[in-house]
Amino acid sequence: MTAFGQIVIGPPGSGKTTYCAGMKEFLSKLGRKVAIINLDPANDHLPYGPAEVDISELITLEDTMEHLKLGPNGGLVYCFEYLEKNVEWLESRLQLLIQNRFYLLFDFPGQVELFTHYTCVQTMIERLTKKDIRLCAVHLVDSHYCSDPGKFIAATMTSLLTMLRLELPHVNVLSKVDLAEQFGKLAFNLDFYTEVMDLTYLLDNLSDDPFFKKYKKLNEAICGIVQDYSLVSFQTLNIQVTDDSCAPVNVHGRAILLATMKPSLSLPSLPLSLSLSLSDGRFLGQRKYVKANQGDRSSERIQFRRNHGSQFVVVGFLPFFWRKFRYVANIASSRTIYGR
């Protein structure tokens, strides 16, 4: 039996558990039966109440750290490798929910290495999709990263790497958008950050910071990779506002259509990543980016091509590009994790 759901991922503190709680409440009011699968072995306080499936029934981070003398990061990696070896436990717990037509929300931990460096999550997702569970990845990024050019560039790189690694229909979300300027004014309008069209403007802001001057070429390489792929864009969300919850739901509804497409649509010899064009098929000609403390700036032309009127664009990445991509991606991921 076919089932549908969301893989909720993102850096620590981006609001994944709060998103799951708000999304469950929102969808329940629409008459959907929703089940939350808590796959964070360190998450003891669940605002949505007891999860329908909880990894703590199989393994907990506290026990892992105590018996194997591991730290928090190593413990989380071990927990997921253990879950990968015992994925039949997860499948058996999901079976009853699928039979009762529950919509599934997977609440993952915030350790981004699980998605960018290790294969355990990717292997589990492949196993679930073979069971005809149609999934869409929802990647949450804290919107206050927009106020720091270095963190935002790192976040876009992490988002891109996660998209390519998971190979799922993917929606990037700027969470807590009402607090976007909590740690400083935005250099550009919010549209600049959601559309991620030209990151070279942010490089100009980075050059003012003495710390980032020696990393100028690295940041240029990261921006170049993100723009060359042209996959990353963001939806904004304040989960406390019901109207804001509609946008990710609508976008997810479109994204889940990708999961129902036949595999023959992809090229067998080339890994593919799927991206959403959120323009609803309308051609965008020009858009002005207005600096927060200045007047109108010159228009930047946005060029992209319709895909036969579809909202979806399928983009392949070339194998020879992978080495360069992995090098810059590892540095970008560590920036997101440690705030450097």
Side-chain angles (χ1 to χ4, degrees):
M1 182 179 293
T2 303
F4 300 90
Q6 301 179 30
I7 301 285
V8 184
I9 57 179
S14 57
K16 297 178 295 297
T17 301
T18 305
Y19 172 89
C20 289
M23 192 58 64
K24 179 177 182 179
E25 180 183 359
F26 179 78
L27 293 175
S28 298
K29 289 180 179 179
L30 295 178
R32 298 291 297 272
K33 293 192 292 185
V34 181
I36 296 181
I37 296 87
N38 176 38
L39 295 183
D40 187 352
N43 197 353
D44 298 328
H45 306 287
L46 304 175
Y48 42 75
E52 283 72 13
V53 180
D54 198 328
I55 192 177
S56 62
E57 300 173 12
L58 178 69
I59 188 172
T60 64
L61 178 62
E62 184 178 355
D63 291 341
T64 302
M65 293 171 61
E66 181 180 350
H67 290 92
L68 299 179
K69 308 303 179 185
L70 295 172
N73 290 347
L76 272 173
V77 172
Y78 180 87
C79 288
F80 264 81
E81 289 178 344
Y82 186 81
L83 178 61
E84 179 187 3
K85 298 296 183 183
N86 297 273
V87 70
E88 293 84 4
W89 171 85
L90 179 60
E91 291 175 348
S92 64
R93 297 301 304 271
L94 292 176
Q95 193 59 41
L96 183 61
L97 299 174
I98 294 172
Q99 291 175 357
N100 290 296
R101 299 185 178 279
F102 274 84
Y103 186 84
L104 308 176
L105 293 174
F106 292 82
D107 187 5
F108 274 79
Q111 191 176 11
V112 297
E113 298 101 314
L114 293 171
F115 314 102
T116 59
H117 293 73
Y118 296 93
T119 60
C120 47
V121 174
Q122 186 178 1
T123 303
M124 283 191 299
I125 290 175
E126 289 175 356
R127 181 83 176 253
L128 294 177
T129 53
K130 287 180 180 178
K131 296 288 184 180
D132 207 18
I133 302 177
R134 313 292 174 84
L135 298 171
C136 171
V138 178
H139 184 247
L140 300 179
V141 175
D142 202 321
S143 60
H144 80 74
Y145 285 173
C146 297
S147 60
D148 187 321
K151 288 183 179 179
F152 183 73
I153 291 174
T156 56
M157 190 63 181
T158 305
S159 300
L160 176 60
L161 179 57
T162 305
M163 294 172 75
L164 297 178
R165 294 273 294 182
L166 295 184
E167 297 180 340
L168 285 175
H170 195 102
V171 180
N172 294 303
V173 176
L174 286 176
S175 62
K176 310 176 191 175
V177 72
D178 55 317
L179 304 177
E181 295 186 330
Q182 183 180 15
F183 298 100
K185 296 283 290 182
L186 301 184
F188 302 95
N189 281 349
L190 193 58
D191 287 349
F192 175 86
Y193 300 94
T194 57
E195 293 173 6
V196 194
M197 285 296 180
D198 193 347
L199 295 177
T200 55
Y201 287 105
L202 292 179
L203 290 176
D204 296 335
N205 286 7
L206 277 174
S207 61
D208 298 335
D209 192 329
F211 178 79
F212 287 107
K213 281 186 177 179
K214 56 182 178 180
Y215 299 116
K216 182 179 179 181
K217 290 185 177 180
L218 175 62
N219 284 300
E220 287 177 352
I222 294 176
C223 293
I225 290 176
V226 173
Q227 292 181 176
D228 287 344
Y229 276 86
S230 191
L231 288 175
V232 181
S233 63
F234 292 94
Q235 289 286 305
T236 58
L237 174 68
N238 176 9
I239 197 63
Q240 308 298 334
V241 180
T242 307
D243 291 343
D244 275 9
S245 304
C246 295
V249 170
N250 292 336
V251 175
H252 173 264
R254 297 178 191 171
I256 209 65
L257 291 176
L258 290 172
T260 64
M261 290 181 175
K262 295 181 179 179
S264 59
L265 291 176
S266 61
L267 299 176
S269 61
L270 200 63
L272 292 180
S273 177
L274 302 174
S275 172
L276 292 177
S277 168
L278 304 176
S279 60
D280 293 328
R282 295 189 299 269
F283 180 78
L284 301 181
Q286 291 183 350
R287 184 177 297 277
K288 290 185 177 180
Y289 297 127
V290 181
K291 195 122 177 175
N293 55 355
Q294 296 181 6
D296 290 353
R297 293 175 63 91
S298 59
S299 299
E300 182 72 17
R301 180 153 314 263
I302 302 170
Q303 297 179 350
F304 65 91
R305 185 176 55 186
R306 292 192 202 184
N307 186 21
H308 304 294
S310 172
Q311 286 92 356
F312 308 111
V313 181
V314 182
V315 181
F317 64 89
L318 300 176
F320 72 84
F321 204 55
W322 183 245
R323 283 188 185 176
K324 180 181 177 184
F325 178 82
R326 282 291 301 273
Y327 170 72
V328 230
N330 290 342
I331 300 175
S333 299
S334 63
R335 273 199 204 168
T336 305
I337 300 166
Y338 305 110
R340 295 200 292 261

